[in-house]
Amino acid sequence: MQKISPEELYRKFCLHPYISTDSRKALAGSLFFALKGENFNANMYAAQALENGAAYAVIDDEAFFTGEQTLLVDNVLQALQQLASDYRAQIRIPVIGITGTNGKTTTKELMATALSARFHTHATVGNLNNHIGVPITILNIKPETEIAVIEMGANHIGEIAALCQIARPTHGLITNIGKAHLEGFGSAEGVIKAKSELYDYLRNHGGRVFVNADNALLMSLTEGMERILYGSSSEADLHGLVSGKGPMLEVILGSENNLHIKTRLAGNYNFENLMAAMCIAGHFRVDLGEAVKAVENYEPRMNRSQIIENGRNTIIMDAYNANPSSMRVALANFATVESAQKVLILGDMFELGNEAPAEHTAVLQQAVEFGFDVILTAGPLFETAAAEFAGVRAFTDVTRLKAYLEQVHFTGAHVLVKGSRGMKLETITDSI
């Protein structure tokens, strides 16, 4: 029983350029990679993947070897990553790497949307931005692809550097750097070090970066690099200003372009995300008028900056994820929304380690200072913090919050819902 070499695996991939990691959804003629995790071992499903049409199953447990259609390797994850790296070495198109504390998925979606006005664009699907998702994204690049946008996420130092070795970006963008995943990064300085690994790679490989000129930290980190600037500063290569006071973001690009963009994104904090996308589109010579049309038609998904009109209230659903920095900008934006009644619903922020109590207290302090009409929270961290603030109604979990909402029946209100994904705040939508 001989193990397959990386070179031979690459040849197999060239003949069968489709990747699957779910035996139940194995595409006909695909390569199934039997990945292992803390609670699963996909080697057990290699035979099922073959029965469902996979051409080969890549395994790392000899006990599940069934013949020439099973390809034995030392480690399936490492084999997947090496295959992606080998494939990326053959690709001669611009590859834009994107990371950041907040807004990277929205920015990635806007960027891909704007670039698609001219190019056959390939981008990370959803948030497949980790050590498994990035290789899969690379391996899904097709021959007709003209430009690729690869999102990179991390919660430990060294992860972005490792992903860059696989994706080999030619261009890069960090949306911002704030407090998130402090348990993994150890400190705010650790977050800066980890996110800057994208800049480090591009600096060492002659890449270009797109930088928010309004962000002093990012400007400092990219000194001496070849960079293209965007933001509200007239000195930026592409500058613009927020226009309007509605819940939907509207932007006017600089005087030379004189373009008015009316998005379907909730929150002026999406200004920098939109500007990044437009800057990148302009750099790659996409007609900005066409790019504007494209981003205006972009509909936010997955509880990210979504506006939901349910006939009773206007809900700003931003519950895909949350950390102290994204909370601050969301609350500040909500304070500018004109409404007869503003209801704020917050869920606990995860992965903040020892900083969790202080950060939850700080968020509630800000909320109280803004003077929102109603402040509700869900989760034990906010429940503890709420004891310091009169007028904040706290619930231990979402189930209790949902029961309360079904009793009070708000009408004609604007409601901001913000919390970490694990809180599942999207389940309260029908009760608001």
Side-chain angles (χ1 to χ4, degrees):
M1 187 184 309
Q2 188 173 1
K3 292 178 181 177
I4 190 171
S5 68
E7 294 78 15
E8 180 60 25
L9 182 58
Y10 182 74
R11 285 193 286 271
K12 298 284 190 188
F13 171 72
C14 289
L15 294 173
H16 304 278
Y18 301 98
I19 301 300
S20 174
T21 58
D22 187 336
S23 62
R24 297 164 299 179
K25 301 176 183 178
L27 296 172
S30 65
L31 295 183
F32 170 72
F33 281 79
L35 296 168
K36 286 188 284 192
E38 292 183 7
N39 301 311
F40 66 91
N41 180 0
N43 281 273
M44 300 170 58
Y45 304 106
Q48 179 185 349
L50 294 173
E51 290 175 5
N52 288 343
Y56 295 96
V58 183
I59 63 170
D60 52 16
D61 188 336
E62 294 183 2
F64 297 95
F65 185 87
T66 58
E68 62 179 17
Q69 281 186 281
T70 44
L71 309 177
L72 185 63
V73 297
D74 287 324
N75 180 288
V76 170
L77 175 59
Q78 291 176 6
L80 176 69
Q81 294 171 337
Q82 182 63 54
L83 177 61
S85 180
D86 292 343
Y87 181 54
R88 172 66 184 93
Q90 307 304 315
I91 296 172
R92 298 290 183 267
I93 61 172
V95 173
I96 306 167
I98 177 170
T99 190
T101 300
N102 303 315
K104 55 184 175 291
T105 300
T106 297
T107 303
K108 176 259 301 181
E109 293 286 338
L110 290 169
M111 194 188 308
T113 298
L115 289 169
S116 294
R118 176 178 178 183
F119 299 105
H120 191 289
T121 306
H122 176 74
T124 300
V125 175
N127 67 328
L128 293 176
N129 59 17
N130 63 4
H131 60 298
I132 297 172
V134 169
I136 291 174
T137 300
I138 294 291
L139 290 167
N140 281 328
I141 294 175
K142 302 306 178 189
E144 63 271 20
T145 300
E146 297 173 291
I147 195 166
V149 182
I150 311 296
E151 181 181 335
M152 302 179 190
N155 51 28
H156 290 87
I157 291 173
E159 286 186 271
I160 296 295
L163 295 177
C164 283
Q165 292 300 322
I166 297 171
R168 304 179 200 185
T170 58
H171 300 71
L173 180 143
I174 297 178
T175 56
N176 47 61
I177 301 177
K179 292 181 178 180
H181 304 296
L182 293 179
E183 282 182 332
F185 292 129
S187 65
E189 291 73 22
V191 180
I192 295 172
K193 178 176 174 59
K195 298 300 182 183
S196 296
E197 289 167 2
L198 175 58
Y199 287 159
D200 294 340
Y201 178 89
L202 292 165
R203 183 181 286 110
N204 294 331
H205 292 81
R208 291 182 176 181
V209 291
F210 301 91
V211 184
N212 182 359
D214 303 326
N215 190 310
L217 174 59
L218 298 184
M219 290 294 286
S220 173
L221 292 172
T222 55
E223 282 187 13
M225 296 185 70
E226 186 174 353
R227 61 191 182 186
I228 302 96
L229 305 180
Y230 60 89
S232 61
S233 169
S234 60
E235 297 179 4
D237 297 286
L238 181 71
H239 65 277
L241 295 171
V242 172
S243 170
K245 295 183 179 180
M248 300 289 196
L249 171 67
E250 295 186 29
V251 170
I252 296 178
L253 294 186
S255 56
E256 292 182 10
N257 301 294
N258 197 29
L259 291 171
H260 189 186
I261 309 174
K262 297 181 179 181
T263 77
R264 302 180 187 184
L265 292 162
N268 290 344
Y269 50 85
N270 278 300
F271 168 76
E272 61 189 70
N273 302 332
L274 176 66
M275 290 299 295
M278 297 304 295
C279 179
I280 289 171
H283 174 74
F284 286 102
R285 302 190 184 283
V286 177
D287 179 271
L288 287 185
E290 294 301 313
V292 167
K293 291 178 184 178
V295 297
E296 284 187 332
N297 288 323
Y298 170 72
E299 288 275 7
R301 300 183 296 262
M302 297 176 67
N303 304 310
R304 287 187 177 93
S305 303
Q306 283 183 276
I307 294 284
I308 301 172
E309 300 277 5
N310 64 6
R312 300 185 302 276
N313 301 291
T314 300
I315 304 169
I316 304 172
M317 179 59 67
D318 197 9
Y320 182 80
N321 222 335
N323 54 58
S325 51
S326 69
M327 280 284 194
R328 281 195 294 273
V329 295
L331 295 186
N333 179 77
F334 193 45
T336 68
V337 173
E338 297 181 356
S339 175
Q341 184 181 38
K342 295 182 188 178
V343 178
L344 176 65
I345 301 177
L346 301 177
D348 279 0
M349 300 175 286
F350 294 173
E351 298 182 50
L352 293 178
N354 294 332
E355 300 295 319
E359 294 295 350
H360 282 78
T361 298
V363 167
L364 280 187
Q365 178 70 50
Q366 181 187 20
V368 169
E369 289 175 356
F370 276 131
F372 299 124
D373 300 296
V374 179
I375 302 176
L376 308 174
T377 72
L381 290 168
F382 268 129
E383 185 176 34
T384 299
E388 300 183 28
F389 303 97
V392 176
R393 184 179 288 270
F395 300 87
T396 304
D397 53 42
V398 171
T399 300
R400 289 177 172 82
L401 169 62
K402 185 179 175 69
Y404 173 77
L405 290 171
E406 290 172 349
Q407 293 176 353
V408 294
H409 302 300
F410 295 111
T411 303
H414 278 72
V415 184
L416 171 61
V417 182
K418 179 77 175 170
S420 284
R421 179 173 33 176
M423 289 300 299
K424 299 182 179 179
L425 285 172
E426 69 277 4
T427 61
I428 68 173
T429 304
D430 291 341
S431 302
I432 298 174

